[in-house]
Amino acid sequence: MPPAAPEEAFASHVYQLILEDIVAGRLAPGQRLRERELSDQHNVSRIPVREALHRLEQDGFIVTAPRRGAVVRSLTLTDVEELFDLRVLLESFAARRAAERVGAGGDGGRLTELLKLSQDASAAGDDERASDLNTEFHAEIVAVSGHRLLARSLRPLQGLTRWIFGLGVSRPMELNTIEHEEIKDAILAGRAQLAESLAAAHIELGRQPVLDGLAGTLPE
């Protein structure tokens, strides 16, 4: 494929920077996003900023409000429920496809590497790093699946997942690690049906703790 045009590359860069500010809470729900301020902040013209904001709206991170322009979206418990619904369906399919590809000779070795790095981060007390690596583990399953449309479809959902988990209470890291090990073993063994079932159960088990953790914070 030809290299991205400069404006497109700038837009992707600004998209990622704004997304990270939203996920980290530096941009709060309801906060207005002004093109001129973002252009000055990131030292780019307003064209890539406008494109980045358009993508962020498409992916569900911001909304356009009358007389206010672009503002950071305010999440609801319904949003969380719907996100988990999609994750159960799509990520379990990704795990199945990943196991099928590994069974046919594909490489899933990075899954083992990511789990080891996550365990090391947890042992060192770096929970933020461990959480980021857990997110990367889920993304790697999609990469191993080799399904390009699925990867594109899940990319904004992965950002929403990080945002939501940053707001609420998730399950203990030890449980996530055990379940990730089981999913990884099933994928590397090429056991597609088992990988699919384990991935679905893993995501479903995380649903209620997150909803309970956000019940007093987010509206219905």
Side-chain angles (χ1 to χ4, degrees), residues 10-201:
F10 287 147
S12 296
H13 181 62
V14 173
Y15 172 99
Q16 197 60 45
L17 291 174
I18 298 173
L19 174 60
E20 290 301 319
D21 283 343
I22 292 172
V23 170
R26 291 185 289 271
L27 290 172
Q31 185 169 338
R32 186 174 179 183
L33 302 176
R34 295 177 173 86
E35 287 184 10
R36 180 177 296 176
E37 292 178 1
L38 292 168
S39 174
D40 292 341
Q41 178 183 349
H42 299 300
N43 196 30
V44 296
S45 74
R46 295 175 70 170
I47 296 174
V49 170
R50 191 172 300 126
E51 175 60 25
L53 293 176
H54 177 65
R55 294 184 196 176
L56 287 162
E57 183 170 24
Q58 286 185 318
D59 290 348
F61 295 99
I62 68 174
V63 295
T64 301
R67 295 184 298 279
R68 294 194 65 199
V71 297
V72 180
R73 176 184 178 187
S74 296
L75 293 171
T76 68
L77 292 176
T78 299
D79 293 327
V80 178
E81 283 274 23
E82 291 179 352
L83 174 63
F84 273 92
D85 289 342
L86 283 179
R87 288 189 63 213
V88 168
L89 291 171
L90 297 179
E91 293 192 40
S92 61
F93 172 72
R96 181 185 187 92
R97 283 291 298 260
E100 290 171 348
R101 290 195 80 214
V102 171
D107 182 15
R110 180 151 171 75
L111 293 171
T112 301
E113 178 186 348
L114 288 169
L115 279 180
K116 177 64 167 58
L117 290 171
S118 176
Q119 290 164 3
D120 290 345
S122 291
D126 190 347
D127 292 339
E128 182 176 353
R129 172 67 173 156
S131 178
D132 288 344
L133 286 163
N134 281 340
T135 299
E136 193 173 345
F137 175 83
H138 282 267
E140 182 63 17
I141 292 174
V142 180
V144 174
S145 79
H147 199 295
R148 291 175 295 177
L149 180 57
L150 179 65
R152 289 196 298 271
S153 300
L154 272 170
R155 197 168 295 124
L157 298 186
Q158 289 163 350
L160 283 169
T161 300
R162 289 177 56 216
W163 189 13
I164 286 168
F165 273 78
L167 295 173
V169 178
S170 59
R171 301 168 68 222
M173 193 68 70
E174 295 80 5
L175 290 177
N176 279 326
T177 298
I178 291 170
E179 291 165 11
H180 282 178
E181 285 279 6
E182 292 173 342
I183 296 167
K184 180 263 297 180
D185 289 345
I187 290 173
L188 296 186
R191 301 183 65 183
Q193 187 172 350
L194 178 60
E196 181 179 35
S197 297
L198 289 171

